[in-house]
Amino acid sequence: MPDHPTASWQAMQDANVFYRRQQIYSIPGKLPNLDDYKVAACRYGGPLALMRDNDKLVALGRATPVFAKAQIQVFSPAGEGLLIFSWEQARIVRFGWTGDERLVVLNEEGVYRIYDLQGEYEQYSLGSEVAEIGVEDAKIHDNGLVALTNSLTFLEVRGWSGGKPVTLANPGLSQPPSSWTIIPPELTISRHVEVLLSVESTIYTVDNLENTDQRISRGPFTHMASSPNGKSLALLTFAGLLLVVSADFQRNLAEFDTTNVPGAEGSVRQVEWCGNDAILVTWDNLALMVGPFGDTLQFFYSGPTFAVTEVDGVRVVGPDVCDFIQKVPASTVSVFRPGSTSPSAILYDAWENFAKRSPKADESIRSIRPELGRAVDECIDAAGQEWEPYWQRRLLNAAKFGRSFLDLYDPTDFINMGQSLKVLNAVRDYQIGIPITYTQYIHASPAQLVSRLTARNLHLLALRISTYLSLKPDPVLKHWACAKILRSKPSATGSGKNAELTGDSEVCRMIVDKFEKLGGGGVSYADIAKKAWEVGRTSLATKLLDYEPRASDQVPLLLSMKEDRLALAKAVDSGDPDLVYHVLLHLQKSMSLGSFFRLLEDGGEQLAPATRLLQVYAREQNRDMLRDFYYSDDRRVESAVLLLEEASNMTDPTAKINTVKAAQKFFSEDKERGFEAKMMDESVRLLTAQQQLEKDADGKIPFFGLSVNETIRTCLLNGMSKKADKIKSDFKVPDKRFWYIKLYALTAMRDFEGLDAFAKSKRSPIGYEAFVRHLVEKGHQKEAAGYVARCDASKRVDLYVQCGEWRMAGKECKDRGDKAKLDQLRRTCPNSLIARELEQIATSMK
Amino acid sequence: MAAAPASVTEQSSADLDNERLLDTSVLSELAKKDLVDALNSVNGAKTLVLDPSIAGPLGLVTEVSLLKQHGVDKMFWLEPGPLSAPTTNIVYLCRPLIKHIKIIADQVKRHAKESAKHTYTLLLVPRTSILVTRILEEEGVLGEVNVSSYNLQFIPLAQDVVSLEYDNAFREIWVDGDETAIYNSAQALLTLRKIYGPFPRILGKGDHAARLATLLNRSLLPPSSVSPHASAANTEKIDSLIILDRRTDMITPLLTQLTYEGLIDEMLGIKNSHVEVPASLLAPPNPPANPNASSTSASTSGLQAVPLSKEKKKKHHLTTANDPLLAELRDLNFASVGKKLNRIAHRLDEDYKARLQAKTVAQLRDFVGKLGGLQTEHQSLRLHTGLSELIVPQTRTEIFNKSLEIQQNLLASYNVNDQVSAIEDLIAQGADMQLVIRLLCLASITAGGIRTKTLDNIKREILQSYGYNFLPLLLSLSAPPLAVLLPNPLPASTTPSVVASKYPYTSLRKSLRLLMEDTDALDEVENDIGYVYSGYAPISIRLVQCVAQKGGVLSNPALDKEKPADAGSANGKSTSKVQAHPIVGWKGFEDVLATMPGETFDITPKDYVGDDSASTLCKSRDMHYFHSSCSWMVLVQGRDRTTTTVVFFLGGCTYTEIAALRWVGRQNKGRNFLIATTGIISGNSLVDSVAGIGRGSTNSRDAGI
């Protein structure tokens, strides 16, 4: 039977609060002496990365490897070596872990690589400017990093996809801060990263907008650490005074002097948070826990340690052990605290009695009947907090026992806890080496745990867990497929080229089978194919790509595989114009113009949408290319239209005329386009005529670019009626249209005499009604009335009415003997005066 | 007024249906939230530089105050020239058009030269594009600009209308051959699907509509096995999606719209639901000093009509939210708007008079309670009377009436040659270019082309009258895939696609009952969907009826109701509406559709789990009780369950089409329509966009050839 849970407890603060140190793994001799190394550890029970600390002297011994090259080793918390790789580039300034358990290594030239646990990496840079200046230091958090350059400015990188670094506000430092830290964006109020600098005696807060002096006068500080929830800060001064303040520096939470701690030797190694309420200060052989009220607990180790803050505690890796120190969770305290009389403790006791077949069980249950539901929940929760399966089982049994006395109970929590514990116990095994607590597991999500397992190539376990938790197995399968491709060698059987093919199709079939059998439909074959292509297995890549349903994933790979035509066809087929542009612009860059055009032309109907998109792009951005394209494709009409578009934007008359001429030429080359050619011919003639007109008018009247109608009108308005007539005959303007133009122009000029002369010049081709209507419309009713007599007899009455000439209208009625109409007039007329006149006319008619 | 009681019952039952309408305000909340998120991604005060074509749609989902709350210090239009921003952060919000990007690149470079330090964020609507990155790269400023996106999709214009508000979708698809709009539409429809549940069936007509349907169907994933229950509940909401592309019915937008809202759009122009009206119409009304004043309010505003047109203009948001009368008026034929306004004025007058009858304090208090509502109604009445006064003179011009006459004759295929020469007369009289082009295209489509010689002649007239710079417009209209202005007979060299796209108008007129014979009763009863064009039923809406109200295509449901004898409803309950039939595809109209150009499709998407999902549900033990009660509910609800049919117009739709579709929705119970479109169009805006007018403010319009 494992030790009772309380065996590892230590009381603090008048025995009200307990902390416990649990030994998770025993790792004697598995890790080198941590004092000689720089260490970075990943949260949530993640691995440790170690690199030789070049500032320290090392005694060469048998066990020490050769330090010719910089080397980074990664160990699991159980001390198993996961990865080892060497670093050829410039000096490493900092390394750290991303939220998804990848190792970021940044060197002094601003180049950073992100390694996964298989040693594959992506490389990015902070930019050429930084490369020149050099990087002094950096802080790496889950979703980005902040770098301090040698010119003492700060750069922030958000996300791990190689985004452009953002420059933060310049704090105007003259020397590097004595220490600094960051609060990651997800924990700040502004949701942007905050950098805290210890400068002289104060602290500066820097974000991307401003630099604030917090006016603390107790610095400088050697260590600064922000709590896991970002709300508090732990600061350690040179004098060894530990301060705890709120992150906005408004409140002092605690103070503690570390100088006279017994057993503390040498300098402080680390100041780390244990959950959100206690701080762990470590020396070479001692870890000191400082509680919220200055109470302390001491933990001794046989050598240098490394502590990692977790959301619910702190993990300490020493020479022999990997420990987890945390405040004992409330539910556990409630059940196991000696002398506890809480319902959960009584329930647990009842169950133990029940197991011993003691009648006290019934009595106990009875006594807590009203609070039984809570007691059950607490037991379930306490089970989650226990490390030993033995105690987990006992607590769950107690919960189950209590549950049976409840009428209505939702078993979901119970089932979930059982499932979670099964998963947690599996991954905590020293061979897997992920010592994650239940709280961390919930915090980080089950899916994240699965992805961490796959990153360790533990596909079977990951697959089983995701099936067990009914998560989608696709990410696991994908990772497996990639690993499979890496491991499998093309030469399966047979020899030469043939063997490669059979090997490929076998691997492909295997992968596809697996996905179809287990997958949830969201497979990305393209990613797998990309992997295959990267390792030089083109035919396998092509085979896999055929299974990819999403064109957006297929196309980029096809492009890099130089399958230009196929890529373009797939892009067009996808209907996503952006994807088509992606291919087009890529091809345009990488191919000669001639073969690029040929590719499009040969594509025919299938690639027509791509051709049209290219035209849209080129019309705005690359007209020369478009011209070449139309020319090479004998598209005369399009060429001409292109020229016309350009002409419409030209201001220089000669250039404009020449351009239109060129367009005319294109039209004339196409025998179907006789009409258009003729029109352009007219257009050129008009432009030339307009140039002449402007010259005649001494450039005072703008003609250039007007339409034929407007030209005539402008001539008329400026008293150039001869010229107007000439334009009319030159451009064969029909009489009707000319008459309207002239009518409108003369009316606009109020040249009613001219209008009269014009009306009499010959029989109007548009009739005279148009005259009347237009004049009335423009408010010249009196003038309009003069033309009514020339209109159709049947319409005259109404027209007179429109002119407001009621008397004339009445007379007209009389002339035509239309009595009914006259009556109607009398009814609609506006005033009695007119009515009386109409009356008179009416009487005279009889 | 004989029809009054009938229309009143319709109104109230329409209200009942409203409760089951899909809640489109979710979409505007979504747009608002996305915008706030996008703005908040930039820390601190920022200068917002706005693409004018985004401003309109954006105005429908947010207010300036919201922007200010999220750190927008100053706003500028995105236009060429230098930009002096007071803040370090500059946020550009625009559509990913090359010309916009060039302006931005230019401003960035200018700042660099002046060594002004700014951080630039580029929010592209609706998504980022490789093209933009490329152009920024070519201009050498890619490193300076953070490119991100703001996914603005469907914007609710009314309770039952959502629009993408793309101004140029039609031109892009049918002139440039740029299918971006189709792709974005597919994405937007996927968002709809996410909110309201899957489309059990996708039907439609037209090659580009088919392309959209394929895109949609392809991007739908098989249903996740995780929550079969949730999807089963959602399937109740939407019964199908009907996609129509604009090329399928080019006739309708070319005609002059004759509903109230349609005419406002034709005459004054409605842009993003906003219309420019004289400022005085929007001033709050003074409650009448004596009750007599209100009865003359119609005539007093009539007196103001003349100066109105010259007054300072102000933008007004046409929406039922602040305008109680709009819902009643917008879909009426303009001929009956006057009467309706008159009736409302009388009613208002009565309501005001109620004050005089108020004897007790309680009655008076009641009146005061109603006063606010009365005043809004009064204000709204003033506005609409004013608008009508603005429109009426324009409907009396000779050109307007002549063009209506030509339209009606062309629709009836009456004496086509005369109509063409009438169009020629209109050109001589100096009618608007847009109007002439509309009529000419209409003639070409209805008559299957215009004689080559006549056509060349008329084209020459157009070029001479309006400028030779319209030659590209004429070419675009006659080139595939648009091909709406064709010579007859077609030249031998025409591509087969053009020949195939010829429209069988005359046979459609019969088979889809496009023209109403008896248009007498038109004023009062909204007789058939044809009332929106005074006698012509829009083909697009007939196509929707082919799917959703088959009876309505063959005979008029409104008339049938009035003849209770043959309907077999002898119990006299003739006013009760017929239950809408379930969606059974194009059944019965396959032949008609086959004669029309463009693909016809009817897909059941692969993501839709039919009823068999329910049966698998039944097998799971825990759900047993639940399921049995659930199926019982379905049985009970089955009869009066109301579903929504989503109609998507690719390339835009007109206000009249919306009106007609609402009419169809009112004829049956159990089916609502949600109208989705790439934008609201009118014939003029269509011609303008094909001509490229208003595309770029940089190209000066008057610089003709």
Side-chain angles (χ1 to χ4, degrees), chain A residues 20-27 77 299-301 306-308 314-318 320-326 435:
Chain A
R20 69 178 174 197
R21 173 166 75 161
Q22 285 171 303
Q23 182 177 334
I24 308 172
Y25 301 120
S26 161
I27 48 168
F299 304 104
F300 289 96
Y301 289 88
F306 188 81
V308 198
V314 60
R315 189 150 47 91
V316 182
V317 183
D320 304 319
V321 285
C322 175
D323 281 350
F324 185 67
I325 303 173
Q326 70 173 152

mmCIF file of all heavy atoms in Angstrom, chain A residues 20-27 77 299-301 306-308 314-318 320-326 435:
data_model
loop_
_atom_site.group_PDB
_atom_site.id
_atom_site.type_symbol
_atom_site.label_atom_id
_atom_site.label_comp_id
_atom_site.label_asym_id
_atom_site.label_seq_id
_atom_site.Cartn_x
_atom_site.Cartn_y
_atom_site.Cartn_z
ATOM 1 N N ARG A 20 2.458 20.134 -0.519
ATOM 2 C CA ARG A 20 2.984 18.779 -0.588
ATOM 3 C C ARG A 20 4.059 18.689 -1.649
ATOM 4 O O ARG A 20 3.999 19.344 -2.693
ATOM 5 C CB ARG A 20 1.864 17.765 -0.850
ATOM 6 C CG ARG A 20 1.239 17.846 -2.220
ATOM 7 C CD ARG A 20 0.188 16.769 -2.366
ATOM 8 N NE ARG A 20 -0.530 16.899 -3.624
ATOM 9 C CZ ARG A 20 -1.709 16.313 -3.881
ATOM 10 N NH1 ARG A 20 -2.288 15.595 -2.941
ATOM 11 N NH2 ARG A 20 -2.278 16.458 -5.057
ATOM 12 N N ARG A 21 5.077 17.881 -1.336
ATOM 13 C CA ARG A 21 6.117 17.606 -2.319
ATOM 14 C C ARG A 21 5.976 16.141 -2.701
ATOM 15 O O ARG A 21 6.113 15.265 -1.869
ATOM 16 C CB ARG A 21 7.496 17.869 -1.737
ATOM 17 C CG ARG A 21 8.586 17.412 -2.710
ATOM 18 C CD ARG A 21 9.923 17.941 -2.357
ATOM 19 N NE ARG A 21 10.516 17.259 -1.221
ATOM 20 C CZ ARG A 21 11.826 17.294 -0.960
ATOM 21 N NH1 ARG A 21 12.629 17.986 -1.725
ATOM 22 N NH2 ARG A 21 12.322 16.664 0.081
ATOM 23 N N GLN A 22 5.658 15.934 -3.977
ATOM 24 C CA GLN A 22 5.518 14.555 -4.424
ATOM 25 C C GLN A 22 6.677 14.220 -5.332
ATOM 26 O O GLN A 22 6.994 14.979 -6.255
ATOM 27 C CB GLN A 22 4.215 14.395 -5.213
ATOM 28 C CG GLN A 22 3.001 14.391 -4.336
ATOM 29 C CD GLN A 22 1.746 14.460 -5.173
ATOM 30 O OE1 GLN A 22 1.567 15.373 -5.966
ATOM 31 N NE2 GLN A 22 0.890 13.476 -5.009
ATOM 32 N N GLN A 23 7.258 13.093 -5.087
ATOM 33 C CA GLN A 23 8.319 12.669 -5.997
ATOM 34 C C GLN A 23 7.660 11.974 -7.172
ATOM 35 O O GLN A 23 6.919 11.002 -7.017
ATOM 36 C CB GLN A 23 9.267 11.713 -5.289
ATOM 37 C CG GLN A 23 10.390 11.292 -6.184
ATOM 38 C CD GLN A 23 11.376 10.392 -5.476
ATOM 39 O OE1 GLN A 23 11.518 10.438 -4.257
ATOM 40 N NE2 GLN A 23 12.046 9.558 -6.228
ATOM 41 N N ILE A 24 7.907 12.518 -8.343
ATOM 42 C CA ILE A 24 7.246 11.940 -9.512
ATOM 43 C C ILE A 24 8.126 10.869 -10.127
ATOM 44 O O ILE A 24 7.683 9.765 -10.410
ATOM 45 C CB ILE A 24 6.978 13.031 -10.561
ATOM 46 C CG1 ILE A 24 6.244 14.203 -9.932
ATOM 47 C CG2 ILE A 24 6.159 12.471 -11.686
ATOM 48 C CD1 ILE A 24 6.131 15.378 -10.848
ATOM 49 N N TYR A 25 9.340 11.213 -10.361
ATOM 50 C CA TYR A 25 10.261 10.242 -10.940
ATOM 51 C C TYR A 25 11.551 10.254 -10.133
ATOM 52 O O TYR A 25 11.944 11.284 -9.599
ATOM 53 C CB TYR A 25 10.602 10.598 -12.391
ATOM 54 C CG TYR A 25 9.422 10.673 -13.292
ATOM 55 C CD1 TYR A 25 9.113 11.855 -13.950
ATOM 56 C CD2 TYR A 25 8.615 9.546 -13.503
ATOM 57 C CE1 TYR A 25 8.021 11.937 -14.789
ATOM 58 C CE2 TYR A 25 7.519 9.626 -14.341
ATOM 59 C CZ TYR A 25 7.220 10.811 -14.972
ATOM 60 O OH TYR A 25 6.152 10.888 -15.800
ATOM 61 N N SER A 26 12.181 9.123 -10.105
ATOM 62 C CA SER A 26 13.494 9.052 -9.499
ATOM 63 C C SER A 26 14.491 8.912 -10.645
ATOM 64 O O SER A 26 14.382 8.000 -11.473
ATOM 65 C CB SER A 26 13.541 7.831 -8.577
ATOM 66 O OG SER A 26 14.862 7.483 -8.320
ATOM 67 N N ILE A 27 15.403 9.872 -10.729
ATOM 68 C CA ILE A 27 16.255 9.907 -11.932
ATOM 69 C C ILE A 27 17.731 9.995 -11.569
ATOM 70 O O ILE A 27 18.446 10.843 -12.076
ATOM 71 C CB ILE A 27 15.875 11.101 -12.835
ATOM 72 C CG1 ILE A 27 15.763 12.404 -12.002
ATOM 73 C CG2 ILE A 27 14.589 10.859 -13.558
ATOM 74 C CD1 ILE A 27 15.686 13.652 -12.849
ATOM 75 N N PRO A 77 10.990 14.700 -18.472
ATOM 76 C CA PRO A 77 11.089 14.911 -17.029
ATOM 77 C C PRO A 77 11.522 13.637 -16.305
ATOM 78 O O PRO A 77 12.018 13.701 -15.182
ATOM 79 C CB PRO A 77 9.672 15.312 -16.622
ATOM 80 C CG PRO A 77 9.086 15.871 -17.856
ATOM 81 C CD PRO A 77 9.692 15.104 -18.983
ATOM 82 N N PHE A 299 12.970 22.764 1.318
ATOM 83 C CA PHE A 299 13.145 21.458 0.682
ATOM 84 C C PHE A 299 14.608 21.335 0.301
ATOM 85 O O PHE A 299 15.146 22.221 -0.361
ATOM 86 C CB PHE A 299 12.269 21.352 -0.569
ATOM 87 C CG PHE A 299 10.816 21.605 -0.320
ATOM 88 C CD1 PHE A 299 10.218 22.804 -0.690
ATOM 89 C CD2 PHE A 299 10.029 20.636 0.302
ATOM 90 C CE1 PHE A 299 8.883 23.035 -0.456
ATOM 91 C CE2 PHE A 299 8.683 20.871 0.538
ATOM 92 C CZ PHE A 299 8.096 22.069 0.157
ATOM 93 N N PHE A 300 15.229 20.260 0.715
ATOM 94 C CA PHE A 300 16.662 20.110 0.443
ATOM 95 C C PHE A 300 16.906 19.155 -0.715
ATOM 96 O O PHE A 300 16.187 18.174 -0.889
ATOM 97 C CB PHE A 300 17.379 19.608 1.698
ATOM 98 C CG PHE A 300 17.449 20.672 2.755
ATOM 99 C CD1 PHE A 300 16.514 20.722 3.780
ATOM 100 C CD2 PHE A 300 18.439 21.652 2.690
ATOM 101 C CE1 PHE A 300 16.550 21.712 4.720
ATOM 102 C CE2 PHE A 300 18.486 22.642 3.650
ATOM 103 C CZ PHE A 300 17.541 22.677 4.671
ATOM 104 N N TYR A 301 17.880 19.485 -1.508
ATOM 105 C CA TYR A 301 18.263 18.623 -2.631
ATOM 106 C C TYR A 301 19.751 18.349 -2.563
ATOM 107 O O TYR A 301 20.509 19.098 -1.939
ATOM 108 C CB TYR A 301 17.910 19.296 -3.967
ATOM 109 C CG TYR A 301 16.427 19.325 -4.206
ATOM 110 C CD1 TYR A 301 15.645 20.368 -3.731
ATOM 111 C CD2 TYR A 301 15.801 18.271 -4.883
ATOM 112 C CE1 TYR A 301 14.283 20.378 -3.920
ATOM 113 C CE2 TYR A 301 14.440 18.269 -5.083
ATOM 114 C CZ TYR A 301 13.685 19.314 -4.597
ATOM 115 O OH TYR A 301 12.340 19.316 -4.798
ATOM 116 N N PHE A 306 16.489 22.641 -10.962
ATOM 117 C CA PHE A 306 15.837 23.563 -11.892
ATOM 118 C C PHE A 306 14.332 23.499 -11.649
ATOM 119 O O PHE A 306 13.748 22.421 -11.607
ATOM 120 C CB PHE A 306 16.151 23.207 -13.345
ATOM 121 C CG PHE A 306 15.657 24.246 -14.302
ATOM 122 C CD1 PHE A 306 16.393 25.405 -14.522
ATOM 123 C CD2 PHE A 306 14.445 24.091 -14.956
ATOM 124 C CE1 PHE A 306 15.923 26.378 -15.383
ATOM 125 C CE2 PHE A 306 13.971 25.070 -15.817
ATOM 126 C CZ PHE A 306 14.731 26.221 -16.028
ATOM 127 N N ALA A 307 13.728 24.661 -11.457
ATOM 128 C CA ALA A 307 12.300 24.705 -11.133
ATOM 129 C C ALA A 307 11.499 25.257 -12.305
ATOM 130 O O ALA A 307 11.951 26.158 -13.015
ATOM 131 C CB ALA A 307 12.074 25.584 -9.909
ATOM 132 N N VAL A 308 10.328 24.672 -12.546
ATOM 133 C CA VAL A 308 9.457 25.108 -13.625
ATOM 134 C C VAL A 308 8.105 25.474 -13.033
ATOM 135 O O VAL A 308 7.460 24.638 -12.390
ATOM 136 C CB VAL A 308 9.211 23.973 -14.641
ATOM 137 C CG1 VAL A 308 8.686 24.555 -15.928
ATOM 138 C CG2 VAL A 308 10.438 23.138 -14.846
ATOM 139 N N VAL A 314 4.719 23.843 -8.802
ATOM 140 C CA VAL A 314 6.020 24.038 -9.423
ATOM 141 C C VAL A 314 6.714 22.681 -9.512
ATOM 142 O O VAL A 314 6.595 21.841 -8.616
ATOM 143 C CB VAL A 314 6.847 25.073 -8.644
ATOM 144 C CG1 VAL A 314 7.074 24.623 -7.206
ATOM 145 C CG2 VAL A 314 8.172 25.366 -9.324
ATOM 146 N N ARG A 315 7.357 22.458 -10.632
ATOM 147 C CA ARG A 315 8.060 21.206 -10.834
ATOM 148 C C ARG A 315 9.544 21.475 -10.583
ATOM 149 O O ARG A 315 10.087 22.454 -11.104
ATOM 150 C CB ARG A 315 7.825 20.718 -12.254
ATOM 151 C CG ARG A 315 8.298 19.338 -12.564
ATOM 152 C CD ARG A 315 7.391 18.727 -13.646
ATOM 153 N NE ARG A 315 7.166 19.670 -14.747
ATOM 154 C CZ ARG A 315 7.945 19.725 -15.834
ATOM 155 N NH1 ARG A 315 8.961 18.922 -15.977
ATOM 156 N NH2 ARG A 315 7.686 20.593 -16.780
ATOM 157 N N VAL A 316 10.181 20.645 -9.791
ATOM 158 C CA VAL A 316 11.596 20.858 -9.481
ATOM 159 C C VAL A 316 12.374 19.624 -9.935
ATOM 160 O O VAL A 316 12.058 18.499 -9.540
ATOM 161 C CB VAL A 316 11.809 21.083 -7.972
ATOM 162 C CG1 VAL A 316 13.279 21.338 -7.686
ATOM 163 C CG2 VAL A 316 10.957 22.227 -7.483
ATOM 164 N N VAL A 317 13.350 19.866 -10.788
ATOM 165 C CA VAL A 317 14.189 18.758 -11.242
ATOM 166 C C VAL A 317 15.529 18.873 -10.535
ATOM 167 O O VAL A 317 16.225 19.878 -10.666
ATOM 168 C CB VAL A 317 14.390 18.809 -12.759
ATOM 169 C CG1 VAL A 317 15.207 17.615 -13.224
ATOM 170 C CG2 VAL A 317 13.066 18.863 -13.463
ATOM 171 N N GLY A 318 15.838 17.872 -9.751
ATOM 172 C CA GLY A 318 17.120 17.857 -9.041
ATOM 173 C C GLY A 318 18.009 16.779 -9.616
ATOM 174 O O GLY A 318 17.649 16.152 -10.618
ATOM 175 N N ASP A 320 18.659 13.853 -8.482
ATOM 176 C CA ASP A 320 18.179 12.487 -8.325
ATOM 177 C C ASP A 320 16.689 12.336 -8.570
ATOM 178 O O ASP A 320 16.204 11.248 -8.822
ATOM 179 C CB ASP A 320 18.450 11.996 -6.883
ATOM 180 C CG ASP A 320 19.896 12.101 -6.526
ATOM 181 O OD1 ASP A 320 20.719 11.781 -7.403
ATOM 182 O OD2 ASP A 320 20.182 12.548 -5.406
ATOM 183 N N VAL A 321 15.979 13.438 -8.429
ATOM 184 C CA VAL A 321 14.525 13.304 -8.464
ATOM 185 C C VAL A 321 13.885 14.390 -9.327
ATOM 186 O O VAL A 321 14.485 15.420 -9.602
ATOM 187 C CB VAL A 321 13.915 13.450 -7.049
ATOM 188 C CG1 VAL A 321 14.160 12.211 -6.230
ATOM 189 C CG2 VAL A 321 14.445 14.701 -6.383
ATOM 190 N N CYS A 322 12.680 14.069 -9.734
ATOM 191 C CA CYS A 322 11.822 15.092 -10.331
ATOM 192 C C CYS A 322 10.623 15.209 -9.404
ATOM 193 O O CYS A 322 9.878 14.253 -9.214
ATOM 194 C CB CYS A 322 11.407 14.668 -11.735
ATOM 195 S SG CYS A 322 10.244 15.785 -12.481
ATOM 196 N N ASP A 323 10.477 16.393 -8.796
ATOM 197 C CA ASP A 323 9.432 16.575 -7.789
ATOM 198 C C ASP A 323 8.368 17.517 -8.302
ATOM 199 O O ASP A 323 8.603 18.353 -9.175
ATOM 200 C CB ASP A 323 10.031 17.235 -6.537
ATOM 201 C CG ASP A 323 10.762 16.230 -5.686
ATOM 202 O OD1 ASP A 323 10.635 15.029 -5.982
ATOM 203 O OD2 ASP A 323 11.474 16.663 -4.768
ATOM 204 N N PHE A 324 7.197 17.349 -7.694
ATOM 205 C CA PHE A 324 6.160 18.346 -7.977
ATOM 206 C C PHE A 324 5.694 18.890 -6.636
ATOM 207 O O PHE A 324 5.303 18.137 -5.745
ATOM 208 C CB PHE A 324 4.998 17.710 -8.736
ATOM 209 C CG PHE A 324 3.965 18.702 -9.145
ATOM 210 C CD1 PHE A 324 4.270 19.667 -10.101
ATOM 211 C CD2 PHE A 324 2.704 18.696 -8.581
ATOM 212 C CE1 PHE A 324 3.320 20.603 -10.484
ATOM 213 C CE2 PHE A 324 1.760 19.632 -8.963
ATOM 214 C CZ PHE A 324 2.066 20.585 -9.919
ATOM 215 N N ILE A 325 5.821 20.222 -6.489
ATOM 216 C CA ILE A 325 5.440 20.856 -5.226
ATOM 217 C C ILE A 325 4.212 21.691 -5.482
ATOM 218 O O ILE A 325 4.179 22.482 -6.449
ATOM 219 C CB ILE A 325 6.579 21.747 -4.700
ATOM 220 C CG1 ILE A 325 7.846 20.922 -4.545
ATOM 221 C CG2 ILE A 325 6.182 22.405 -3.390
ATOM 222 C CD1 ILE A 325 9.067 21.738 -4.193
ATOM 223 N N GLN A 326 3.191 21.493 -4.682
ATOM 224 C CA GLN A 326 1.995 22.298 -4.886
ATOM 225 C C GLN A 326 1.263 22.492 -3.573
ATOM 226 O O GLN A 326 1.492 21.766 -2.596
ATOM 227 C CB GLN A 326 1.048 21.623 -5.888
ATOM 228 C CG GLN A 326 0.407 20.384 -5.343
ATOM 229 C CD GLN A 326 -0.653 19.788 -6.249
ATOM 230 O OE1 GLN A 326 -0.875 18.607 -6.213
ATOM 231 N NE2 GLN A 326 -1.303 20.596 -7.080
ATOM 232 N N PRO A 435 4.619 14.193 -16.836
ATOM 233 C CA PRO A 435 4.010 14.265 -15.508
ATOM 234 C C PRO A 435 3.008 15.401 -15.425
ATOM 235 O O PRO A 435 3.275 16.436 -14.827
ATOM 236 C CB PRO A 435 5.207 14.509 -14.591
ATOM 237 C CG PRO A 435 6.178 15.251 -15.450
ATOM 238 C CD PRO A 435 5.952 14.838 -16.860
#
